[in-house]
C-alpha cells in the first residue's frame, strides 16, 4: 500500500503544492520517504505518546504554511493499540483533526462485495468523515467500473480511482521494512514515474476538492525554559537516522544549537555539550563503524568525562562492546556498556511500552514513566544493571514485563524510542544534565 501514500504525495508535489506530510503512530522509515518527496520534514502523530491537544498543536504548527497536509495512517483504518477503535488508530486521529478520510481497499477478485467492505468501514464509526475510496489490485478498466458502481450505489461513498494489478514499481526492503531514503540513490525518477501513474488512474483534482477540512484549535501551549550556549551533537548518517523530528524541534525551541555528525564518516566528534544517538541500522554498517576507531574512542572519552549521552535502540547497540551481525561476525563498537548486541531471526520486541525509572537517569527522575515504542531485531546480552521496569499493556491489562535501559555515569542507553512531547520534562532533564556537566 506504500505506493498510494508516496504516490499521492508525489503527484501533489509535482503540481507545485506545498505538501506537509504526517504519519500516524511510531515510524521513521515511512516518514523518510515523505520527507524526501515533499522536501518538508514528516511529523509523527502518535496518540499513545501524545494527548489530543498535543497532536492538534503539532499538526497546526507544521501545517500553517502548507497548501495541503497528507496524513498516512497506520495499518488498517481501525487498527491500533488493542481492539479499541479509539486507541491509537488512524480513525481516531482523523477525528481529533477533523480530517476527511480516503480509504484504500484491495479489490482483487471482488465485485459487489467491495461495497460491503466499504459499508463496514463506514458504519463501524459514523463519526469519521469517510469521503472517498481508492481501489487497489484491479484487473481491468471494466473490473473497476463494476466495483465503482457497486460501491457508489450501496454506500454513497465516492470512488476516486484505482491502481491496476502488477504496477511496475517497487522499493527495496529489509528486516524493519523499506530501506530508508538516506541509503538510496536515483529516487527522483522513480517518484516522478509514480506520480504519472497516480495522475493516470486516480482523480487527483477531485481528491483535492473533497479533502478540505474544518478548522481546529489546540489548548496546548508549551512552556519551555531557554538554555543558552548549549550545543547538542546528533548522530545522523546511514547507520543512525531514526528520529522524531519533533524531538529535534523541541531542542531548537529551547535555544539549543544542533550539530549533526556521522559515526560512519567523521573522524572525531564536533564540539558539543551533549550527544543524542538515535536508532537506525548499525548492524548493516557494523564493519564501517568498527573501522572508524577514532570516532569510537572519541565517544568513549566523552562518556568518561561525564558528558551526557542519550541513545535509543540502534544507539544502544553502538554504545555496547560489539555487534554480532547476521553473518555471525563480531564487530567492535564504542564499549561504554559491557555487552554485545546479537541479531535475532524475528522481532525481539514490537509495540508500545511504558518504562518506569528505578533511579534518576539522564532524561528522567526516579519513578517517572517514559512512554515509548520498541521495534528491533536484536538483543543486548549484558550483565549491566537495568534502570527501567518496562511494561506492555493491551486493553488496560499488562501482558508483558521486562527490564531495560542502562545508565552509566551520564550515559543512558535504551531500546525504548520516546517522543519528547510526550513529557516535556524529558528534554528539560536532559538539558539540565548537560548544564550540570558543561
Amino acid at each position: 500500500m506504500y505506493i498510494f501514500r508516496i504516490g499521492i504525495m508525489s503527484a501533489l508535489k509535482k503540481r507545485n503544492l506545498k505538501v506537509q506530510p504526517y504519519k500516524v503512530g511510531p515510524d521513521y522509515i515511512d516518514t523518510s520517504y515523505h520527507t524526501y518527496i515533499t522536501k518538508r520534514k514528516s511529523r509523527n502523530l502518535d496518540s499513545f505518546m501524545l494527548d489530543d491537544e498535543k497532536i492538534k498543536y503539532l499538526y497546526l504548527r507544521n501545517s500553517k504554511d502548507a497548501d495541503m497536509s497528507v496524513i498516512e495512517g497506520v495499518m488498517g483504518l481501525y487498527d491500533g493499540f488493542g481492539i479499541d477503535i479509539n486507541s491509537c488508530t488512524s480513525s481516531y486521529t482523523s477525528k481529533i483533526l477533523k480530517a476527511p478520510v480516503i480509504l484504500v481497499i484491495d479489490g482483487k477478485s471482488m465485485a459487489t462485495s467491495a461495497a460491503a467492505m466499504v459499508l463496514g468501514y463506514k458504519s463501524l464509526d459514523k463519526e469519521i468523515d469517510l469521503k472517498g475510496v481508492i481501489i487497489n489490485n484491479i484487473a481491468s478498466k471494466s473490473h473497476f467500473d463494476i466495483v465503482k458502481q457497486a460501491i457508489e450505489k450501496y454506500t454513497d461513498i465516492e470512488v476516486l480511482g484505482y491502481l491496476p494489478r502488477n504496477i511496475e514499481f517497487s522499493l527495496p526492503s529489509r528486516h524493519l521494512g523499506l530501506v530508508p531514503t538516506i541509503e538510496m540513490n536515483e529516487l527522483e525518477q522513480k517518484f516522478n514515474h509514480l506520480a504519472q501513474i497516480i495522475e493516470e488512474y486516480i482523480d487527483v483534482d477531485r481528491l483535492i476538492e473533497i479533502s478540505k477540512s474544518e478548522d481546529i484549535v489546540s489548548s496546548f501551549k508549551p512552556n519551555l525554559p531557554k538554555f543558552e550556549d548549549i550545543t547538542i551533537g546528533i548522530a545522523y548518517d546511514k547507520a543512525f537516522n531514526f528520529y522524531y523530528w519533533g524531538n529535534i524541534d523541541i531542542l531548537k525551541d529551547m535555544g539549543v544549537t544542533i550539530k549533526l555528525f556521522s559515526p560512519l564518516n567523521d573522524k572525531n566528534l564536533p564540539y558539543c555539550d551533549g550527544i543524542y544517538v538515535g536508532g537506525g541500522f548499525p548492524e548493516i554498517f557494523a564493519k564501517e563503524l568498527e573501522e572508524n576507531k577514532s570516532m569510537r574512542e572519541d565517544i568513549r572519552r566523552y562518556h568518561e568525562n561525564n558528558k551526557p549521552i542519550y541513545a535509543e535502540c540502534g544507539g544502544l547497540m553502538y554504545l555496547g562492546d560489539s555487534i554480532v551481525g547476521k553473518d555471525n561476525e563480531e564487530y567492535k563498537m564504542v564499549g561504554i556498556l559491557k555487552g554485545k548486541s546479537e541479531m535475532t531471526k524475528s522481532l525481539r520486541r514490537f509495540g508500545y511500552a511504558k518504562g518506569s525509572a528505578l533511579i534518576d537517569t539522564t532524561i528522567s527522575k526516579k519513578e517517572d514513566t517514559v512512554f515509548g515504542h520498541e521495534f528491533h531485531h536484536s538483543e543486548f546480552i549484558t550483565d549491566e544493571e537495568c534502570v527501567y521496569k518496562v511494561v506492555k499493556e493491551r486493553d488496560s491489562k499488562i501482558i508483558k514485563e521486562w527490564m531495560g535501559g542502562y545508565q552509566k555515569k551520564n550515559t543512558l542507553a535504551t531500546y525504548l524510542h520516546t517522543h519528547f512531547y510526550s513529557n516535556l520534562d524529558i528534554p528539560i532533564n536532559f538539558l539540565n544534565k548537560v548544564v550540570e556537566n558543561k
Side-chain angles (χ1 to χ4, degrees):
M1 292 291 188
Y2 66 78
I3 289 179
F4 290 97
R5 65 187 184 238
I6 62 178
I8 287 171
M9 288 182 192
S10 297
L12 295 171
K13 179 64 178 174
K14 199 168 182 182
R15 290 177 173 222
N16 295 318
L17 294 173
K18 292 180 183 177
V19 181
Q20 176 57 49
Y22 298 92
K23 172 69 180 182
V24 176
D27 194 285
Y28 303 104
I29 298 176
D30 289 349
T31 52
S32 78
Y33 282 85
H34 300 173
T35 298
Y36 183 93
I37 291 164
T38 66
K39 313 306 179 193
R40 294 169 66 101
K41 294 290 191 293
S42 182
R43 265 57 181 201
N44 296 79
L45 304 173
D46 190 322
S47 55
F48 178 80
M49 288 186 257
L50 308 172
D51 64 34
D52 295 1
E53 296 305 312
K54 288 177 182 176
I55 287 177
K56 288 190 281 187
Y57 168 81
L58 291 172
Y59 175 81
L60 290 168
R61 168 182 172 146
N62 292 291
S63 294
K64 60 186 176 184
D65 64 338
D67 297 317
M68 191 168 183
S69 295
V70 178
I71 306 169
E72 181 197 339
V74 57
M75 300 182 289
L77 181 60
Y78 296 112
D79 298 322
F81 193 40
I83 63 170
D84 184 350
I85 62 173
N86 289 319
S87 178
C88 308
T89 59
S90 301
S91 60
Y92 184 67
T93 302
S94 77
K95 291 191 292 186
I96 294 170
L97 300 176
K98 299 182 180 178
V101 173
I102 307 299
L103 180 68
V104 178
I105 66 167
D106 189 344
K108 185 178 180 180
S109 303
M110 277 196 185
T112 307
S113 293
M117 182 186 297
V118 175
L119 192 61
Y121 279 104
K122 179 182 177 181
S123 61
L124 186 60
D125 187 348
K126 293 181 173 59
E127 293 181 16
I128 66 165
D129 185 14
L130 182 53
K131 278 287 183 65
V133 178
I134 298 172
I135 312 164
N136 194 22
N137 272 327
I138 291 294
S140 64
K141 178 62 167 60
S142 59
H143 178 203
F144 168 68
D145 289 339
I146 292 172
V147 176
K148 173 181 166 68
Q149 290 167 22
I151 291 173
E152 293 184 342
K153 176 178 179 180
Y154 293 108
T155 72
D156 292 324
I157 302 295
E158 187 172 349
V159 178
L160 302 173
Y162 71 103
L163 281 188
R165 198 175 302 165
N166 302 321
I167 283 287
E168 292 185 11
F169 183 88
S170 64
L171 293 168
S173 61
R174 62 165 69 109
H175 51 281
L176 295 183
L178 294 175
V179 174
T181 57
I182 194 171
E183 297 181 44
M184 299 173 66
N185 299 313
E186 300 178 356
L187 283 174
E188 205 71 43
Q189 186 175 353
K190 272 181 171 282
F191 293 144
N192 284 336
H193 174 60
L194 183 55
Q196 292 172 357
I197 293 172
I198 293 294
E199 290 280 6
E200 182 178 353
Y201 292 102
I202 295 172
D203 189 345
V204 178
D205 289 328
R206 184 60 183 149
L207 185 148
I208 293 171
E209 286 176 15
I210 66 176
S211 293
K212 291 181 172 61
S213 58
E214 295 180 46
D215 291 337
I216 58 169
V217 295
S218 171
S219 63
F220 174 69
K221 299 289 189 293
N223 184 20
L224 297 168
K226 293 292 184 180
F227 290 79
E228 296 182 359
D229 301 321
I230 296 294
T231 298
I232 300 297
I234 295 181
Y236 192 84
D237 57 20
K238 291 181 179 180
F240 304 100
N241 51 77
F242 290 3
Y243 295 94
Y244 294 122
W245 288 107
N247 289 5
I248 298 172
D249 289 342
I250 207 170
L251 293 175
K252 290 179 178 178
D253 289 345
M254 296 166 79
V256 170
T257 298
I258 301 296
K259 280 191 180 177
L260 302 182
F261 71 93
S262 171
L264 283 172
N265 303 312
D266 295 337
K267 294 304 177 186
N268 300 99
L269 283 171
Y271 169 80
C272 54
D273 303 300
I275 296 175
Y276 180 10
V277 186
F281 290 106
E283 67 274 18
I284 301 297
F285 301 96
K287 184 174 184 294
E288 293 93 327
L289 290 168
E290 179 186 63
E291 289 171 349
N292 194 351
K293 185 178 179 182
S294 61
M295 175 59 79
R296 292 190 290 111
E297 290 177 344
D298 226 10
I299 295 175
R300 177 73 178 268
R301 280 192 296 269
Y302 195 89
H303 159 78
E304 295 295 343
N305 288 330
N306 285 319
K307 293 291 189 179
I309 302 174
Y310 172 54
E312 295 177 327
C313 202
L316 159 64
M317 297 168 68
Y318 182 53
L319 297 188
D321 283 327
S322 62
I323 291 176
V324 180
K326 289 195 172 183
D327 57 3
N328 289 321
E329 291 290 326
E330 189 166 352
Y331 301 94
K332 291 181 181 178
M333 294 293 120
V334 175
I336 292 173
L337 303 174
K338 298 304 175 187
K340 62 183 178 180
S341 298
E342 294 186 350
M343 301 309 297
T344 54
K345 292 181 179 180
S346 59
L347 280 170
R348 183 69 181 91
R349 302 265 183 231
F350 171 64
Y352 291 121
K354 300 175 185 178
S356 179
L358 304 176
I359 62 170
D360 288 354
T361 76
T362 301
I363 66 166
S364 55
K365 302 297 184 184
K366 184 178 179 180
E367 298 183 356
D368 282 354
T369 298
V370 176
F371 287 70
H373 181 267
E374 288 197 17
F375 187 60
H376 50 96
H377 264 269
S378 65
E379 185 171 9
F380 188 58
I381 312 298
T382 183
D383 291 327
E384 298 276 12
E385 191 171 344
C386 293
V387 295
Y388 286 102
K389 179 182 178 181
V390 187
V391 299
K392 183 175 183 178
E393 298 177 339
R394 185 173 297 148
D395 301 317
S396 301
K397 295 181 181 178
I398 294 175
I399 59 171
K400 277 186 182 178
E401 296 184 28
W402 64 93
M403 304 299 291
Y406 309 95
Q407 180 80 32
K408 293 190 75 172
K409 293 193 172 183
N410 287 318
T411 295
L412 172 66
T414 171
Y415 269 118
L416 200 62
H417 295 276
T418 191
H419 199 300
F420 289 176
Y421 271 99
S422 65
N423 183 348
L424 297 183
D425 286 340
I426 290 173
I428 293 171
N429 289 334
F430 180 46
L431 295 180
N432 280 335
K433 187 69 70 176
V434 167
V435 172
E436 289 171 16
N437 294 278
K438 193 173 179 188

